[in-house]
Amino acid sequence: MRILQSKSIANQVDEILLERIRDGIYLPGSRIPSESELSDELGVSRATVRTALAKLAANGFILRKQGNGTYVNEHVNETSAHFGNLWDLAELISGNGYNPSIRFLSIDRRPATEKEALVLALEEGEELICLQRLFYADQQPVILADNVIPYSLLRAPIENIDGKLHIREIFEQYFHQKISFVLTDIRSTLMAADAQEFLSGKAGRAILQLQTIFYGKNNMPLALGVNVFDDSFLHLSLAQAWS
Amino acid sequence: MRILQSKSIANQVDEILLERIRDGIYLPGSRIPSESELSDELGVSRATVRTALAKLAANGFILRKQGNGTYVNEHVNETSAHFGNLWDLAELISGNGYNPSIRFLSIDRRPATEKEALVLALEEGEELICLQRLFYADQQPVILADNVIPYSLLRAPIENIDGKLHIREIFEQYFHQKISFVLTDIRSTLMAADAQEFLSGKAGRAILQLQTIFYGKNNMPLALGVNVFDDSFLHLSLAQAWS
DNA sequence: ATGGAATATTATGTCAGACAACTTTGTGGT
DNA sequence: ACCACAAAGTTGTCTGACATAATATTCCAT
């Protein structure tokens, strides 16, 4: 990866370092190069490196010790999700050690329910795009993902939508919207009949449900997501730094 | 709050700003003072203010726009937990709009099970302190919290322990340990008989379980926590900034 | 008056260099 | 072998400057 000008430099440094942690170039528990060394190597100022390191530390990837050095959190590999991407289902699957893939189930149009209209700031009955997808972990179906998006936001023919893309790419390509932040509600629920149709496992067992609201620029709600999965197979674990 | 020398200055600034957001001095959606104004007001350098702001941004509390300003996330009040304190049950309760209080149920000693010994890096059968507490939201019992801690870590008489303290204070006062980070596993489970005894609600309904491992210096595991609560009453919602 | 381009202002992002605070390691003397 | 001290290395904080981006203002041409 090279330093470009599109994203902020600090965010690019952040991604580079995160990639090195994921790839095992910086091993769990080991000390990473000092701020000065990184700033020399990457050709950015020490202040920029510090910004990136601060974000990684806030998200629990690294631990910093004054006068000593910066260390990779020894338990990064025991966590399946991280704060920057709790809503990223593919990351959740790969974080559990499986190979993620997506199956496109269906795409539909239907009027919004009262609750959906409220959350998405729409009139009741406005038309929604209904996207249903199934996430696989090593060929095994594990997450049933439903997303609803206001039809009025669509900027491309609906039949062009590639359901296998990442949700963030879908928004960029077909809706010309960028996700600025997300709000996720974690619920415990029982396996319903429609979910059981796609996910292996007995009906009536307790499973996790992630209800996600995506927001774009100016706090405009973009979409609503409901994702259910069996947490006995797919663990949802998070690391958090102390101070 | 005054700037002291004990904690890092940036962390103190962080806490001050967070307090102002919580207290509504900085309202959701509004723009907060610029970095220069804050550095003048608090008597610290702009670099230090930036460190604090970077952490708040990483945790979704604020949004930063180059050339424009820094804004409080409009939805802070819709989130019950934040990444820095998912394991902080009192914060979870107050984040839901209730007044938290703690009832001390029991404290016991028993040998560690095989699984507990593995997680806590102990010999099987080593003695554990078993702390059971009940968290209330406005006088209503909502969270059943079990914590197990190796007896060998205790640095004070066991009968002195005040079960109403924050878990972080318990570690500092009676174990002389500081929590450096925590690892939380979020599970969906069914209301068991022993939990139903303390929590209102029908048996067999789906509830959330937070399994937390506390780590101290040098990645030493300090304690194990199992907290169960009904997520239909106490919502677990998280905000995450995009990039 | 009005619309639009140029300019000024203000905010965050990045850079450079310096010193402070802290930890570890090495050195030398006893 | 032990202890006090110095040295080196790393993160934390400070200062000042410029770059970049968004917004507000001014001014001119229509």
Side-chain angles (χ1 to χ4, degrees):
Chain A
M1 198 181 296
R2 195 81 54 78
I3 301 284
L4 301 174
Q5 203 65 2
S6 55
K7 290 188 179 182
S8 78
I9 303 179
N11 275 335
Q12 294 178 60
V13 173
D14 180 276
E15 288 175 9
I16 291 175
L17 297 179
L18 197 48
E19 204 178 314
R20 291 183 179 177
I21 293 175
R22 291 205 187 287
D23 293 352
I25 299 175
Y26 299 152
L27 290 172
S30 70
R31 189 166 75 174
I32 74 174
S34 71
E35 299 176 351
S36 309
E37 289 175 294
L38 288 173
S39 94
D40 285 348
E41 180 206 339
L42 300 174
V44 300
S45 77
R46 203 190 132 205
T48 304
V49 171
R50 278 185 64 77
T51 305
L53 291 175
K55 185 179 168 190
L56 289 174
N59 287 352
F61 290 102
I62 58 176
L63 304 172
R64 320 200 65 194
K65 301 181 183 178
Q66 181 173 3
N68 187 333
T70 303
Y71 293 82
V72 179
N73 188 332
E74 205 169 358
H75 304 271
V76 276
N77 291 335
E78 300 166 24
T79 67
S80 59
H82 287 281
F83 303 126
N85 52 0
L86 175 57
W87 51 280
D88 191 329
L89 302 177
E91 288 261 6
L92 180 62
I93 292 171
S94 62
N96 272 274
Y98 301 104
N99 197 19
S101 58
I102 304 178
R103 184 177 143 210
F104 179 45
L105 290 181
S106 66
I107 189 164
D108 271 320
R109 289 165 61 173
R110 62 166 175 79
T113 67
E114 185 181 2
K115 192 184 168 192
E116 288 168 339
L118 184 70
V119 173
L120 293 173
L122 301 173
E123 301 293 319
E124 188 175 345
E126 252 190 80
E127 209 161 26
L128 294 177
I129 300 174
C130 233
L131 187 63
Q132 192 171 46
R133 309 192 293 169
L134 190 57
F135 283 72
Y136 286 76
D138 287 353
Q139 327 304 336
Q140 185 166 356
V142 286
I143 307 179
L144 181 63
D146 282 294
N147 285 97
V148 298
I149 316 170
Y151 185 76
S152 57
L153 293 177
L154 191 61
R155 292 283 172 278
I158 191 172
E159 58 269 17
N160 283 13
I161 295 180
D162 181 359
K164 294 194 171 186
L165 289 179
H166 194 290
I167 189 78
R168 137 192 51 162
E169 295 167 330
I170 289 180
F171 274 113
E172 285 179 7
Q173 292 192 22
Y174 308 111
F175 296 88
H176 300 175
Q177 298 278 351
K178 284 184 69 175
I179 300 170
S180 69
F181 73 96
V182 300
L183 213 151
T184 304
D185 213 51
I186 304 174
R187 318 279 312 244
S188 176
T189 179
L190 298 176
M191 173 90 80
D194 61 328
Q196 198 209 351
E197 182 184 340
F198 297 103
L199 303 178
S200 48
K202 296 169 291 204
R205 72 175 303 158
I207 58 176
L208 277 180
Q209 182 186 60
L210 301 182
Q211 296 181 1
T212 304
I213 307 175
F214 297 87
Y215 292 91
K217 296 269 181 191
N218 305 104
N219 289 301
M220 181 175 62
L222 293 180
L224 206 67
V226 177
N227 314 304
V228 295
F229 62 94
D230 186 342
D231 61 297
S232 64
F233 181 70
L234 216 58
H235 294 294
L236 181 60
S237 48
L238 304 166
Q240 308 176 271
W242 155 255
S243 101
Chain B
M1 197 182 297
R2 197 79 55 76
I3 300 286
L4 301 173
Q5 200 66 2
S6 56
K7 289 187 179 184
S8 80
I9 302 178
N11 276 335
Q12 295 178 59
V13 173
D14 181 276
E15 287 175 10
I16 291 174
L17 298 178
L18 197 49
E19 203 177 314
R20 291 183 179 176
I21 293 175
R22 292 204 186 287
D23 293 351
I25 299 175
Y26 299 153
L27 290 172
S30 70
R31 187 166 76 174
I32 73 174
S34 70
E35 299 175 351
S36 308
E37 290 175 294
L38 288 174
S39 93
D40 285 348
E41 180 208 338
L42 300 174
V44 300
S45 78
R46 200 187 137 210
T48 303
V49 172
R50 277 185 65 77
T51 305
L53 291 175
K55 186 180 167 189
L56 289 174
N59 287 351
F61 289 103
I62 59 176
L63 305 172
R64 320 200 65 195
K65 301 180 183 178
Q66 181 172 2
N68 187 331
T70 303
Y71 294 82
V72 179
N73 188 332
E74 207 169 355
H75 304 270
V76 274
N77 291 335
E78 300 166 25
T79 68
S80 58
H82 287 280
F83 301 126
N85 52 0
L86 176 57
W87 52 279
D88 191 328
L89 303 177
E91 290 262 6
L92 179 62
I93 291 172
S94 63
N96 272 275
Y98 301 104
N99 197 21
S101 58
I102 304 178
R103 183 175 145 212
F104 179 45
L105 290 181
S106 66
I107 189 165
D108 270 321
R109 290 166 59 174
R110 62 167 175 79
T113 68
E114 185 181 1
K115 192 183 167 192
E116 288 168 339
L118 184 68
V119 173
L120 293 173
L122 301 172
E123 300 292 320
E124 188 175 343
E126 250 189 82
E127 209 160 26
L128 294 177
I129 300 173
C130 233
L131 188 61
Q132 193 171 47
R133 308 192 293 169
L134 190 57
F135 283 72
Y136 286 75
D138 287 352
Q139 326 305 335
Q140 186 167 354
V142 285
I143 308 179
L144 182 64
D146 282 293
N147 285 98
V148 299
I149 316 170
Y151 185 77
S152 57
L153 293 177
L154 191 63
R155 291 284 173 277
I158 191 171
E159 57 270 17
N160 283 11
I161 295 181
D162 181 359
K164 293 194 172 187
L165 290 179
H166 194 289
I167 189 78
R168 137 191 52 161
E169 296 167 329
I170 290 180
F171 274 114
E172 285 178 7
Q173 292 192 22
Y174 308 112
F175 295 89
H176 300 173
Q177 297 278 351
K178 284 184 70 174
I179 300 169
S180 69
F181 73 97
V182 300
L183 212 151
T184 304
D185 213 53
I186 303 174
R187 317 282 309 247
S188 177
T189 179
L190 297 176
M191 174 90 80
D194 61 329
Q196 198 209 351
E197 182 183 341
F198 296 104
L199 303 178
S200 49
K202 297 169 292 205
R205 75 174 302 158
I207 59 176
L208 276 181
Q209 182 185 61
L210 302 182
Q211 296 181 2
T212 305
I213 307 175
F214 297 86
Y215 292 91
K217 296 269 182 192
N218 305 104
N219 289 300
M220 181 175 62
L222 293 180
L224 206 69
V226 177
N227 313 305
V228 296
F229 61 94
D230 186 342
D231 61 297
S232 64
F233 181 71
L234 216 57
H235 295 295
L236 181 59
S237 49
L238 304 166
Q240 308 178 270
W242 155 256
S243 114

PDB file of all heavy atoms in Angstrom, chain B residues 10 14 42 47 51 53 75 85 89 91 104 113 122-123 135 137-139 146 148 151 157 175 204 214 220 229:
ATOM      1  N   ALA B  10      -3.498  13.911  28.318  1.00  0.00           N
ATOM      2  CA  ALA B  10      -4.460  13.684  27.242  1.00  0.00           C
ATOM      3  C   ALA B  10      -5.681  12.923  27.755  1.00  0.00           C
ATOM      4  O   ALA B  10      -6.815  13.238  27.383  1.00  0.00           O
ATOM      5  CB  ALA B  10      -3.795  12.910  26.105  1.00  0.00           C
ATOM      6  N   ASP B  14      -9.531  14.073  27.784  1.00  0.00           N
ATOM      7  CA  ASP B  14     -10.547  13.161  27.268  1.00  0.00           C
ATOM      8  C   ASP B  14     -11.722  13.046  28.234  1.00  0.00           C
ATOM      9  O   ASP B  14     -12.887  13.164  27.850  1.00  0.00           O
ATOM     10  CB  ASP B  14      -9.895  11.795  27.040  1.00  0.00           C
ATOM     11  CG  ASP B  14     -10.863  10.784  26.483  1.00  0.00           C
ATOM     12  OD1 ASP B  14     -11.592  10.160  27.278  1.00  0.00           O
ATOM     13  OD2 ASP B  14     -10.901  10.626  25.264  1.00  0.00           O
ATOM     14  N   LEU B  42      -8.047  24.993  28.560  1.00  0.00           N
ATOM     15  CA  LEU B  42      -7.577  23.970  29.490  1.00  0.00           C
ATOM     16  C   LEU B  42      -6.101  24.142  29.831  1.00  0.00           C
ATOM     17  O   LEU B  42      -5.590  23.450  30.713  1.00  0.00           O
ATOM     18  CB  LEU B  42      -7.825  22.576  28.903  1.00  0.00           C
ATOM     19  CG  LEU B  42      -9.295  22.249  28.612  1.00  0.00           C
ATOM     20  CD1 LEU B  42      -9.418  20.917  27.895  1.00  0.00           C
ATOM     21  CD2 LEU B  42     -10.092  22.224  29.921  1.00  0.00           C
ATOM     22  N   ALA B  47      -1.631  19.842  20.547  1.00  0.00           N
ATOM     23  CA  ALA B  47      -1.312  18.446  20.262  1.00  0.00           C
ATOM     24  C   ALA B  47      -1.990  17.519  21.262  1.00  0.00           C
ATOM     25  O   ALA B  47      -2.511  16.466  20.899  1.00  0.00           O
ATOM     26  CB  ALA B  47       0.203  18.241  20.285  1.00  0.00           C
ATOM     27  N   THR B  51      -4.900  14.617  20.707  1.00  0.00           N
ATOM     28  CA  THR B  51      -4.840  13.228  21.155  1.00  0.00           C
ATOM     29  C   THR B  51      -6.158  12.810  21.796  1.00  0.00           C
ATOM     30  O   THR B  51      -6.687  11.736  21.517  1.00  0.00           O
ATOM     31  CB  THR B  51      -3.689  13.048  22.155  1.00  0.00           C
ATOM     32  OG1 THR B  51      -2.473  13.494  21.557  1.00  0.00           O
ATOM     33  CG2 THR B  51      -3.543  11.594  22.555  1.00  0.00           C
ATOM     34  N   LEU B  53      -9.129  14.241  21.387  1.00  0.00           N
ATOM     35  CA  LEU B  53     -10.203  14.258  20.392  1.00  0.00           C
ATOM     36  C   LEU B  53     -10.135  13.017  19.492  1.00  0.00           C
ATOM     37  O   LEU B  53     -11.169  12.475  19.090  1.00  0.00           O
ATOM     38  CB  LEU B  53     -10.127  15.529  19.553  1.00  0.00           C
ATOM     39  CG  LEU B  53     -10.476  16.825  20.285  1.00  0.00           C
ATOM     40  CD1 LEU B  53     -10.235  18.032  19.385  1.00  0.00           C
ATOM     41  CD2 LEU B  53     -11.916  16.802  20.760  1.00  0.00           C
ATOM     42  N   HIS B  75     -26.285  10.942  17.884  1.00  0.00           N
ATOM     43  CA  HIS B  75     -26.983   9.772  18.424  1.00  0.00           C
ATOM     44  C   HIS B  75     -26.329   9.221  19.688  1.00  0.00           C
ATOM     45  O   HIS B  75     -26.567   8.074  20.044  1.00  0.00           O
ATOM     46  CB  HIS B  75     -27.045   8.673  17.355  1.00  0.00           C
ATOM     47  CG  HIS B  75     -27.686   9.125  16.086  1.00  0.00           C
ATOM     48  ND1 HIS B  75     -29.028   9.025  15.845  1.00  0.00           N
ATOM     49  CD2 HIS B  75     -27.170   9.728  14.985  1.00  0.00           C
ATOM     50  CE1 HIS B  75     -29.312   9.528  14.653  1.00  0.00           C
ATOM     51  NE2 HIS B  75     -28.192   9.960  14.111  1.00  0.00           N
ATOM     52  N   ASN B  85     -16.125   1.250  27.472  1.00  0.00           N
ATOM     53  CA  ASN B  85     -16.703   0.748  28.725  1.00  0.00           C
ATOM     54  C   ASN B  85     -17.881  -0.187  28.501  1.00  0.00           C
ATOM     55  O   ASN B  85     -18.912  -0.055  29.140  1.00  0.00           O
ATOM     56  CB  ASN B  85     -17.139   1.917  29.594  1.00  0.00           C
ATOM     57  CG  ASN B  85     -18.018   2.871  28.813  1.00  0.00           C
ATOM     58  OD1 ASN B  85     -18.288   2.642  27.654  1.00  0.00           O
ATOM     59  ND2 ASN B  85     -18.472   3.910  29.470  1.00  0.00           N
ATOM     60  N   LEU B  89     -20.929  -2.109  33.811  1.00  0.00           N
ATOM     61  CA  LEU B  89     -22.358  -2.378  33.887  1.00  0.00           C
ATOM     62  C   LEU B  89     -23.147  -1.183  34.397  1.00  0.00           C
ATOM     63  O   LEU B  89     -24.276  -0.952  33.967  1.00  0.00           O
ATOM     64  CB  LEU B  89     -22.607  -3.595  34.785  1.00  0.00           C
ATOM     65  CG  LEU B  89     -21.876  -4.859  34.311  1.00  0.00           C
ATOM     66  CD1 LEU B  89     -22.112  -5.998  35.297  1.00  0.00           C
ATOM     67  CD2 LEU B  89     -22.335  -5.256  32.924  1.00  0.00           C
ATOM     68  N   GLU B  91     -22.471   1.908  33.821  1.00  0.00           N
ATOM     69  CA  GLU B  91     -22.611   2.803  32.671  1.00  0.00           C
ATOM     70  C   GLU B  91     -23.683   2.301  31.719  1.00  0.00           C
ATOM     71  O   GLU B  91     -24.426   3.087  31.122  1.00  0.00           O
ATOM     72  CB  GLU B  91     -21.275   2.907  31.919  1.00  0.00           C
ATOM     73  CG  GLU B  91     -20.209   3.661  32.655  1.00  0.00           C
ATOM     74  CD  GLU B  91     -20.124   5.107  32.166  1.00  0.00           C
ATOM     75  OE1 GLU B  91     -20.964   5.498  31.354  1.00  0.00           O
ATOM     76  OE2 GLU B  91     -19.206   5.812  32.627  1.00  0.00           O
ATOM     77  N   PHE B 104     -25.014  -6.319  46.983  1.00  0.00           N
ATOM     78  CA  PHE B 104     -24.000  -7.329  47.219  1.00  0.00           C
ATOM     79  C   PHE B 104     -24.689  -8.616  47.667  1.00  0.00           C
ATOM     80  O   PHE B 104     -25.335  -8.654  48.713  1.00  0.00           O
ATOM     81  CB  PHE B 104     -23.045  -6.809  48.300  1.00  0.00           C
ATOM     82  CG  PHE B 104     -21.964  -7.760  48.653  1.00  0.00           C
ATOM     83  CD1 PHE B 104     -21.254  -8.422  47.669  1.00  0.00           C
ATOM     84  CD2 PHE B 104     -21.634  -7.986  49.974  1.00  0.00           C
ATOM     85  CE1 PHE B 104     -20.239  -9.297  48.003  1.00  0.00           C
ATOM     86  CE2 PHE B 104     -20.617  -8.852  50.317  1.00  0.00           C
ATOM     87  CZ  PHE B 104     -19.927  -9.508  49.331  1.00  0.00           C
ATOM     88  N   THR B 113     -12.651 -24.620  38.467  1.00  0.00           N
ATOM     89  CA  THR B 113     -12.939 -25.697  37.520  1.00  0.00           C
ATOM     90  C   THR B 113     -11.831 -25.748  36.471  1.00  0.00           C
ATOM     91  O   THR B 113     -10.996 -24.850  36.381  1.00  0.00           O
ATOM     92  CB  THR B 113     -14.282 -25.460  36.823  1.00  0.00           C
ATOM     93  OG1 THR B 113     -14.151 -24.306  35.979  1.00  0.00           O
ATOM     94  CG2 THR B 113     -15.385 -25.211  37.828  1.00  0.00           C
ATOM     95  N   LEU B 122      -4.181 -20.858  35.865  1.00  0.00           N
ATOM     96  CA  LEU B 122      -3.971 -21.399  37.206  1.00  0.00           C
ATOM     97  C   LEU B 122      -3.867 -22.929  37.125  1.00  0.00           C
ATOM     98  O   LEU B 122      -4.142 -23.528  36.086  1.00  0.00           O
ATOM     99  CB  LEU B 122      -5.158 -21.059  38.118  1.00  0.00           C
ATOM    100  CG  LEU B 122      -5.494 -19.596  38.334  1.00  0.00           C
ATOM    101  CD1 LEU B 122      -6.811 -19.479  39.090  1.00  0.00           C
ATOM    102  CD2 LEU B 122      -4.383 -18.907  39.087  1.00  0.00           C
ATOM    103  N   GLU B 123      -3.468 -23.545  38.245  1.00  0.00           N
ATOM    104  CA  GLU B 123      -3.563 -24.991  38.361  1.00  0.00           C
ATOM    105  C   GLU B 123      -5.021 -25.338  38.667  1.00  0.00           C
ATOM    106  O   GLU B 123      -5.696 -24.590  39.381  1.00  0.00           O
ATOM    107  CB  GLU B 123      -2.673 -25.495  39.511  1.00  0.00           C
ATOM    108  CG  GLU B 123      -1.212 -25.165  39.325  1.00  0.00           C
ATOM    109  CD  GLU B 123      -0.600 -25.929  38.166  1.00  0.00           C
ATOM    110  OE1 GLU B 123      -0.927 -27.113  37.992  1.00  0.00           O
ATOM    111  OE2 GLU B 123       0.196 -25.303  37.418  1.00  0.00           O
ATOM    112  N   PHE B 135     -27.237  -5.979  39.937  1.00  0.00           N
ATOM    113  CA  PHE B 135     -27.334  -4.566  39.552  1.00  0.00           C
ATOM    114  C   PHE B 135     -28.787  -4.165  39.384  1.00  0.00           C
ATOM    115  O   PHE B 135     -29.563  -4.888  38.758  1.00  0.00           O
ATOM    116  CB  PHE B 135     -26.573  -4.317  38.240  1.00  0.00           C
ATOM    117  CG  PHE B 135     -25.081  -4.257  38.412  1.00  0.00           C
ATOM    118  CD1 PHE B 135     -24.354  -5.408  38.678  1.00  0.00           C
ATOM    119  CD2 PHE B 135     -24.405  -3.050  38.310  1.00  0.00           C
ATOM    120  CE1 PHE B 135     -22.971  -5.355  38.834  1.00  0.00           C
ATOM    121  CE2 PHE B 135     -23.031  -2.993  38.469  1.00  0.00           C
ATOM    122  CZ  PHE B 135     -22.313  -4.148  38.729  1.00  0.00           C
ATOM    123  N   ALA B 137     -31.657  -1.191  38.191  1.00  0.00           N
ATOM    124  CA  ALA B 137     -31.964   0.002  37.415  1.00  0.00           C
ATOM    125  C   ALA B 137     -33.237   0.590  37.983  1.00  0.00           C
ATOM    126  O   ALA B 137     -34.316   0.021  37.813  1.00  0.00           O
ATOM    127  CB  ALA B 137     -32.148  -0.329  35.931  1.00  0.00           C
ATOM    128  N   ASP B 138     -33.097   1.708  38.686  1.00  0.00           N
ATOM    129  CA  ASP B 138     -34.267   2.309  39.345  1.00  0.00           C
ATOM    130  C   ASP B 138     -34.988   1.292  40.227  1.00  0.00           C
ATOM    131  O   ASP B 138     -36.185   1.060  40.092  1.00  0.00           O
ATOM    132  CB  ASP B 138     -35.253   2.880  38.312  1.00  0.00           C
ATOM    133  CG  ASP B 138     -34.722   4.153  37.674  1.00  0.00           C
ATOM    134  OD1 ASP B 138     -33.688   4.667  38.135  1.00  0.00           O
ATOM    135  OD2 ASP B 138     -35.346   4.621  36.721  1.00  0.00           O
ATOM    136  N   GLN B 139     -34.268   0.667  41.129  1.00  0.00           N
ATOM    137  CA  GLN B 139     -34.816  -0.276  42.117  1.00  0.00           C
ATOM    138  C   GLN B 139     -35.236  -1.611  41.513  1.00  0.00           C
ATOM    139  O   GLN B 139     -35.701  -2.494  42.226  1.00  0.00           O
ATOM    140  CB  GLN B 139     -36.024   0.309  42.885  1.00  0.00           C
ATOM    141  CG  GLN B 139     -35.987   1.786  43.154  1.00  0.00           C
ATOM    142  CD  GLN B 139     -34.716   2.227  43.883  1.00  0.00           C
ATOM    143  OE1 GLN B 139     -34.101   1.429  44.585  1.00  0.00           O
ATOM    144  NE2 GLN B 139     -34.335   3.483  43.711  1.00  0.00           N
ATOM    145  N   ASP B 146     -21.613 -12.318  38.103  1.00  0.00           N
ATOM    146  CA  ASP B 146     -20.736 -13.247  38.821  1.00  0.00           C
ATOM    147  C   ASP B 146     -19.297 -12.965  38.430  1.00  0.00           C
ATOM    148  O   ASP B 146     -18.976 -12.853  37.242  1.00  0.00           O
ATOM    149  CB  ASP B 146     -21.085 -14.690  38.451  1.00  0.00           C
ATOM    150  CG  ASP B 146     -22.315 -15.184  39.176  1.00  0.00           C
ATOM    151  OD1 ASP B 146     -22.238 -15.318  40.413  1.00  0.00           O
ATOM    152  OD2 ASP B 146     -23.341 -15.422  38.507  1.00  0.00           O
ATOM    153  N   VAL B 148     -15.212 -14.275  39.325  1.00  0.00           N
ATOM    154  CA  VAL B 148     -14.292 -15.161  40.039  1.00  0.00           C
ATOM    155  C   VAL B 148     -12.878 -14.622  39.896  1.00  0.00           C
ATOM    156  O   VAL B 148     -12.462 -14.221  38.811  1.00  0.00           O
ATOM    157  CB  VAL B 148     -14.371 -16.621  39.540  1.00  0.00           C
ATOM    158  CG1 VAL B 148     -15.762 -17.180  39.766  1.00  0.00           C
ATOM    159  CG2 VAL B 148     -13.984 -16.723  38.098  1.00  0.00           C
ATOM    160  N   TYR B 151      -7.682 -16.538  44.512  1.00  0.00           N
ATOM    161  CA  TYR B 151      -7.510 -16.130  45.902  1.00  0.00           C
ATOM    162  C   TYR B 151      -6.086 -15.658  46.162  1.00  0.00           C
ATOM    163  O   TYR B 151      -5.840 -14.805  47.010  1.00  0.00           O
ATOM    164  CB  TYR B 151      -7.857 -17.307  46.829  1.00  0.00           C
ATOM    165  CG  TYR B 151      -7.815 -16.957  48.287  1.00  0.00           C
ATOM    166  CD1 TYR B 151      -8.855 -16.232  48.859  1.00  0.00           C
ATOM    167  CD2 TYR B 151      -6.744 -17.339  49.089  1.00  0.00           C
ATOM    168  CE1 TYR B 151      -8.831 -15.893  50.193  1.00  0.00           C
ATOM    169  CE2 TYR B 151      -6.704 -17.000  50.432  1.00  0.00           C
ATOM    170  CZ  TYR B 151      -7.747 -16.274  50.978  1.00  0.00           C
ATOM    171  OH  TYR B 151      -7.713 -15.941  52.291  1.00  0.00           O
ATOM    172  N   PRO B 157      -7.880  -8.592  53.848  1.00  0.00           N
ATOM    173  CA  PRO B 157      -8.814  -9.590  54.392  1.00  0.00           C
ATOM    174  C   PRO B 157     -10.069  -9.678  53.530  1.00  0.00           C
ATOM    175  O   PRO B 157     -10.614  -8.657  53.109  1.00  0.00           O
ATOM    176  CB  PRO B 157      -9.140  -9.043  55.784  1.00  0.00           C
ATOM    177  CG  PRO B 157      -7.980  -8.182  56.142  1.00  0.00           C
ATOM    178  CD  PRO B 157      -7.503  -7.589  54.864  1.00  0.00           C
ATOM    179  N   PHE B 175      -6.751  -5.850  45.715  1.00  0.00           N
ATOM    180  CA  PHE B 175      -5.832  -6.737  45.004  1.00  0.00           C
ATOM    181  C   PHE B 175      -4.572  -6.007  44.524  1.00  0.00           C
ATOM    182  O   PHE B 175      -3.659  -6.644  44.027  1.00  0.00           O
ATOM    183  CB  PHE B 175      -6.553  -7.367  43.799  1.00  0.00           C
ATOM    184  CG  PHE B 175      -7.679  -8.273  44.194  1.00  0.00           C
ATOM    185  CD1 PHE B 175      -8.962  -7.771  44.368  1.00  0.00           C
ATOM    186  CD2 PHE B 175      -7.464  -9.624  44.401  1.00  0.00           C
ATOM    187  CE1 PHE B 175     -10.011  -8.597  44.741  1.00  0.00           C
ATOM    188  CE2 PHE B 175      -8.505 -10.459  44.766  1.00  0.00           C
ATOM    189  CZ  PHE B 175      -9.782  -9.940  44.942  1.00  0.00           C
ATOM    190  N   GLY B 204     -36.700 -19.394  30.377  1.00  0.00           N
ATOM    191  CA  GLY B 204     -36.745 -19.872  29.003  1.00  0.00           C
ATOM    192  C   GLY B 204     -36.707 -18.771  27.971  1.00  0.00           C
ATOM    193  O   GLY B 204     -36.591 -19.055  26.782  1.00  0.00           O
ATOM    194  N   PHE B 214     -10.706 -10.113  32.530  1.00  0.00           N
ATOM    195  CA  PHE B 214      -9.950  -8.917  32.877  1.00  0.00           C
ATOM    196  C   PHE B 214      -8.463  -9.248  32.894  1.00  0.00           C
ATOM    197  O   PHE B 214      -8.065 -10.257  33.473  1.00  0.00           O
ATOM    198  CB  PHE B 214     -10.368  -8.395  34.264  1.00  0.00           C
ATOM    199  CG  PHE B 214     -11.801  -7.966  34.346  1.00  0.00           C
ATOM    200  CD1 PHE B 214     -12.806  -8.883  34.633  1.00  0.00           C
ATOM    201  CD2 PHE B 214     -12.158  -6.641  34.133  1.00  0.00           C
ATOM    202  CE1 PHE B 214     -14.139  -8.490  34.706  1.00  0.00           C
ATOM    203  CE2 PHE B 214     -13.481  -6.243  34.206  1.00  0.00           C
ATOM    204  CZ  PHE B 214     -14.470  -7.165  34.496  1.00  0.00           C
ATOM    205  N   MET B 220      -1.419 -10.526  32.468  1.00  0.00           N
ATOM    206  CA  MET B 220      -1.817 -11.532  33.433  1.00  0.00           C
ATOM    207  C   MET B 220      -3.336 -11.494  33.598  1.00  0.00           C
ATOM    208  O   MET B 220      -3.908 -10.450  33.866  1.00  0.00           O
ATOM    209  CB  MET B 220      -1.141 -11.269  34.780  1.00  0.00           C
ATOM    210  CG  MET B 220      -1.502 -12.302  35.827  1.00  0.00           C
ATOM    211  SD  MET B 220      -0.592 -12.054  37.351  1.00  0.00           S
ATOM    212  CE  MET B 220      -1.185 -10.434  37.822  1.00  0.00           C
ATOM    213  N   PHE B 229     -28.365 -10.461  31.498  1.00  0.00           N
ATOM    214  CA  PHE B 229     -29.454  -9.489  31.645  1.00  0.00           C
ATOM    215  C   PHE B 229     -30.442  -9.631  30.493  1.00  0.00           C
ATOM    216  O   PHE B 229     -30.107 -10.159  29.431  1.00  0.00           O
ATOM    217  CB  PHE B 229     -28.908  -8.061  31.711  1.00  0.00           C
ATOM    218  CG  PHE B 229     -28.164  -7.620  30.496  1.00  0.00           C
ATOM    219  CD1 PHE B 229     -28.817  -6.920  29.491  1.00  0.00           C
ATOM    220  CD2 PHE B 229     -26.820  -7.891  30.347  1.00  0.00           C
ATOM    221  CE1 PHE B 229     -28.130  -6.494  28.366  1.00  0.00           C
ATOM    222  CE2 PHE B 229     -26.135  -7.472  29.225  1.00  0.00           C
ATOM    223  CZ  PHE B 229     -26.782  -6.773  28.236  1.00  0.00           C
TER     224      PHE B 229
END
